[in-house]
Amino acid sequence: MLSYIGIGSNQAQPIEQAKQAIAALNNIKGTTVLDCSSLYCSAPMGPQDQPDYINAIAKLKTSLSAFELLEALQAIEQNQGRVRKENRWGPRTLDLDIILYSDHVIDNERLTIPHYGMKEREFVLYPLYEIAPKLQLPDGTILSELLKGCDKNGLTVITG
C-alpha cells in the first residue's frame, strides 16, 4: 500500500527530529520510504506562544495495515520523546500522522483517513504536492485544485 505520512516537530531540535523520523520510517517492518518532501517551516496551529514547526511529507510503500502503521508511527514518536498531553495543539518533539493510506477511507475513534484536516493545512498540502503533484484523494478531489484555495500563511522551504 502507498501511504503518505505527515511529519511535524517544534521542540528539541525540530530539524533533527524530522530527519531522524524519516530515517526511522525506513526501519518499520515491511515499509520503505519512496520519497520525501523538502522540510518546511510553518507557523503553529492553535496557541501562537510556541516555536514554529518543521514539517514534511513522506511517501511510503508498506505491507502493514493502517492500524499497524499507526502503532509503528506512535512508537517512533515515543522513541523520540513525544509525550501526549491534553493540549492537542501544543508544542511537541514529533508528530507523525497518516495523511493518506492508498485510497482507503477510515473513520473511527483511533484513526481517520484521509487525515481530517489535510484539505485546509498548507503544511500538508504544499509538501504533499511537491512529491505527488497529480495526486487524487479518495473522494475524487484533485490535490492541485486544493492548493488554489490554500494560502501559504508564511510557509517556507528550509531544505530541499
Side-chain angles (χ1 to χ4, degrees):
M1 293 286 175
L2 286 182
S3 183
Y4 293 89
I5 307 300
I7 301 163
S9 174
N10 75 340
Q11 298 286 293
Q13 300 180 338
I15 291 173
E16 287 307 310
Q17 290 282 355
K19 288 178 178 180
Q20 288 174 20
I22 294 162
L25 292 173
N26 243 338
N27 293 325
I28 297 172
K29 173 188 71 166
T31 302
T32 304
V33 175
L34 300 176
D35 202 357
C36 191
S37 73
S38 302
L39 296 182
Y40 289 73
C41 182
S42 67
M45 284 184 60
Q48 297 298 299
D49 62 342
Q50 58 179 312
D52 286 348
Y53 272 80
I54 300 302
N55 297 100
I57 298 285
K59 178 181 180 180
L60 309 181
K61 181 178 180 183
T62 186
S63 61
L64 299 180
S65 73
F67 292 96
E68 291 170 329
L69 183 57
L70 175 65
E71 288 173 12
L73 296 178
Q74 289 176 340
I76 292 169
E77 289 176 338
Q78 189 173 21
N79 287 341
Q80 289 188 220
R82 168 85 185 258
V83 177
R84 294 196 179 272
K85 301 176 183 171
E86 293 286 321
N87 184 357
R88 183 177 194 164
W89 309 115
R92 56 197 64 184
T93 56
L94 184 62
D95 189 26
L96 298 174
D97 292 320
I98 302 173
I99 304 299
L100 294 165
Y101 183 83
S102 188
D103 61 353
H104 293 198
V105 175
I106 300 171
D107 188 10
N108 72 34
E109 67 280 349
R110 278 195 69 212
L111 189 56
T112 301
I113 299 175
H115 189 278
Y116 62 89
M118 75 166 292
K119 290 183 177 183
E120 299 84 35
R121 296 179 180 172
E122 71 279 358
F123 56 85
V124 172
L125 295 177
Y126 284 92
L128 185 57
Y129 182 78
E130 179 186 330
I131 62 173
K134 298 184 185 304
L135 186 69
Q136 182 174 333
L137 306 186
D139 67 2
T141 303
I142 306 295
L143 178 60
S144 60
E145 291 298 311
L146 288 174
L147 284 181
K148 291 178 183 177
C150 184
D151 190 301
K152 280 195 168 182
N153 296 317
L155 184 74
T156 56
V157 175
I158 61 167
T159 66

